[in-house]
Amino acid sequence: MYQYIKGAISCSNATSYTGSFVKLQMLNNSAADDETIQLDRVEFGQLADPEISSSITSVTGPIVLHTGQSIEGPIARFKVGTNEANKGVLAYYIK
């Protein structure tokens, strides 16, 4: 799967994202190693064009990730929780 990764974006506090993501990894800009971040919603599945044709296989949330932890997809949509200052998610995408 990782040979198909085209890039990654840094995703921040209280923002929703849509795309063809294969991995979400917690980023921590503070010195503490025991920090967590909450993903309010994650929709697993394949994004299609038009988006109404997307194949969503499951929806879950909240998911809490510790520093360095990740989840793998395919992930079509997700939302980073609120009150997550100085933390974020690195989202690896394939399209």
Side-chain angles (χ1 to χ4, degrees), residues 46-56 77:
Q46 299 289 332
L47 191 66
D49 187 18
E51 194 172 328
I52 192 76
S53 299
S54 296
S55 173
I56 304 302
R77 297 180 197 93

Side-chain angles (χ1 to χ4, degrees), residues 40-82:
D40 285 344
R41 181 181 176 95
V42 178
E43 296 182 29
F44 291 91
Q46 299 289 332
L47 191 66
D49 187 18
E51 194 172 328
I52 192 76
S53 299
S54 296
S55 173
I56 304 302
T57 56
S58 66
V59 178
T60 189
I63 295 174
V64 176
L65 297 175
H66 294 269
T67 300
Q69 281 187 321
S70 62
I71 59 172
E72 296 184 4
I75 298 167
R77 297 180 197 93
F78 68 96
K79 181 180 181 198
V80 179
T82 57

Side-chain angles (χ1 to χ4, degrees), residues 7 14 17 19 23 28 30 37 39 43 45 50 63 72 75 87 93:
Y17 297 87
K23 182 178 179 180
N28 180 4
S30 74
I37 193 166
L39 300 174
E43 296 182 29
I63 295 174
E72 296 184 4
I75 298 167
K87 296 178 273 183
Y93 58 88

Side-chain angles (χ1 to χ4, degrees), residues 23-38 63-71 84-90:
K23 182 178 179 180
L24 305 178
Q25 183 173 15
M26 194 264 194
L27 297 175
N28 180 4
N29 294 331
S30 74
D33 287 336
D34 60 346
E35 291 286 336
T36 62
I37 193 166
Q38 179 171 304
I63 295 174
V64 176
L65 297 175
H66 294 269
T67 300
Q69 281 187 321
S70 62
I71 59 172
E84 299 295 356
N86 297 319
K87 296 178 273 183
V89 172
L90 189 59

